[in-house]
Amino acid sequence: MQKAITVPGARLELAKLYLYGLGVPRDQTKAVQLLKTEPTAAIAEVSYTLGLAYSHGIGVKRDETKAISLFRYAAERGHAHAMHELARLLIDTDPAKAYY
């Protein structure tokens, strides 16, 4: 029986290990599952990383609308990389909103 992961950000770090195959077999689907169970309200990095998964179809079906929502959430909390990704996705669809 596995112990529950209770340290804030622990699932995020474990997900990154699975995402890149660092010390564990690479498993992008498992990485996304771990990210989905990490409280996104506490850590903007979780929303950003999930946004990348949905933006590029890593471990999940590509979903640009969901990616934009996740990037927006992280960007509103000051995540610089999320701001960049949000602008990158919006520049073609809504240029006025791309300048965050």
Side-chain angles (χ1 to χ4, degrees):
M1 181 187 226
Q2 291 183 337
K3 289 185 177 184
I5 300 173
T6 58
V7 176
R11 285 185 192 99
L12 169 63
E13 295 307 317
L14 184 58
K16 287 180 180 179
L17 295 177
Y18 279 107
L19 189 62
Y20 302 114
L22 302 172
V24 295
R26 187 174 184 178
D27 188 338
Q28 296 172 331
T29 303
K30 186 169 188 149
V32 170
Q33 289 171 346
L34 284 164
L35 289 169
K36 286 181 177 180
T37 61
E38 181 71 66
T40 56
I43 306 169
E45 181 76 11
V46 173
S47 292
Y48 166 71
T49 306
L50 264 176
L52 285 176
Y54 280 102
S55 176
H56 299 286
I58 299 169
V60 292
K61 184 177 177 186
R62 190 166 189 258
D63 185 338
E64 199 167 282
T65 302
K66 193 160 196 148
I68 288 170
S69 175
L70 289 160
F71 287 142
R72 181 172 284 121
Y73 182 87
E76 288 170 351
R77 281 144 188 84
H79 196 287
H81 294 292
M83 291 176 197
H84 171 80
E85 291 297 324
L86 180 59
R88 185 184 63 77
L89 290 174
L90 292 176
I91 197 76
D92 292 328
T93 59
D94 194 349
K97 290 183 181 176
Y99 296 98
Y100 204 83

